[in-house]
Structures are given as C-alpha cells and as structure tokens.
Amino acid sequence: MKIRNLLKASVVAAALAVSGCASIAPSDPDIVEVAQSAGSFNTLVAAVSAADLVDTLKSDGPFTVFAPTDEAFAALPEGTVETLLKPENKDQLTAILTYHVIPGKVMAADLAGKRLSVATVNGAEVHVDGRNGVKVEQANVISADVEASNGVIHVIDSVLLP
C-alpha cells in the first residue's frame, strides 16, 4: 500500500512539473528572504514579523525598501526596539516599518542627481536626496540596489521615524 501511494505521489509530481504547475528550480528570493539571509537585518526581520508584514513583503510588489541594519536599530535609545516589539505597540511599529517602504522598484540610478519627496506605503512622504550619494531623510544609503524577486533593498544606516 505504501509503495502504491509513493508511486501515485511521484506521478502527480511529475505531471505537475511537466504542466508547469510546479517548479523544480527554486524561485529567486523575495525581499524577506534576502533580508533573512543577509545576516545584518535580524532586528528588521523580527520587527516585520511582529508587525505581521511578512506576507505583504513576500507578495508580488514591487517594493523599494530602505532597510536599516541591526546597528541602526541598536543606535535607537535603549529599550526602544523592545518596546516597539510588544503586541500593544503593533500599530506604531507598523507605521515606522511602512515608512521605510515605497511602492514600485526604484533603483539608485533613478535617484541620482535629484531631490524629491516620495510617498511611502504608510502614506507619509520621505525626502530623498540623490545629489551626493543617496540620503533618505537623515539616513545614508550604505549599500544600494540589492535586488529581490519582488523589488529592491537599499541598506541605510539609521532608522527612519515618521
């Protein structure tokens, strides 16, 4: 009986692969997977999870994420991150995290030489200065154009607060 079930499962898997309904090769990593694998966004990943934004940032997008490093979160006043991660502060955490996200895929070259205000997913505008490197509000982009299947990440050196 076990062998028959294994054979049925193999036939179904083969049929799905041939029909294009299943993929043998893994897809490119999305924004969340890129952040998780980088090793320098552990606090950001924990915050995204606490705010229930994982599914959103795994969706098709595209999104542009200004991603603060663990060091950027560590530079906040002592206890800030721990307080924000509490369930009762989920709305405030969500507002901060969505302030780091712009709808669409914006590469560093798109910002070069420009000063502009851009609407974030949280609804507020963020000021971007691409005249000498790229700054978002007071944060410096320290690594640009980290591509993901559903957008791009620009690594920043401080946390943006709306």
Side-chain angles (χ1 to χ4, degrees):
M1 187 69 154
K2 274 187 170 181
I3 294 172
R4 183 177 297 170
N5 289 339
L6 286 173
L7 285 173
K8 282 183 184 178
S10 295
V11 170
V12 170
L16 287 172
V18 169
S19 70
C21 293
S23 175
I24 294 173
S27 63
D28 292 334
D30 59 43
I31 287 172
V32 173
E33 293 165 338
V34 169
Q36 288 171 329
S37 67
S40 56
F41 302 111
N42 296 324
T43 307
L44 178 61
V45 169
V48 166
S49 180
D52 290 328
L53 293 173
V54 171
D55 289 341
T56 301
L57 290 175
K58 290 179 91 43
S59 69
D60 290 342
F63 303 105
T64 298
V65 177
F66 296 107
T69 62
D70 290 335
E71 292 79 18
F73 279 102
L76 291 171
E78 188 174 332
T80 301
V81 172
E82 294 77 11
T83 299
L84 287 170
L85 292 176
K86 291 181 178 178
E88 62 267 23
N89 297 322
K90 181 178 174 183
D91 289 343
Q92 184 180 8
L93 179 61
T94 300
I96 291 169
L97 293 173
T98 56
Y99 189 61
H100 289 78
V101 182
I102 296 173
K105 185 175 180 179
V106 181
M107 305 301 283
D110 299 328
L111 304 171
K114 299 176 185 171
R115 285 182 71 194
L116 40 109
S117 293
V118 182
T120 64
V121 171
N122 112 342
E125 290 192 345
V126 68
H127 301 287
V128 179
D129 187 344
R131 295 176 299 168
N132 186 18
V134 178
K135 284 186 81 115
V136 182
E137 297 295 340
Q138 299 303 311
N140 295 300
V141 173
I142 56 175
S143 180
D145 299 341
V146 179
E147 293 198 60
S149 64
N150 61 342
V152 63
I153 298 171
H154 301 296
V155 182
I156 57 176
D157 64 359
S158 61
V159 177
L160 306 174
L161 298 174

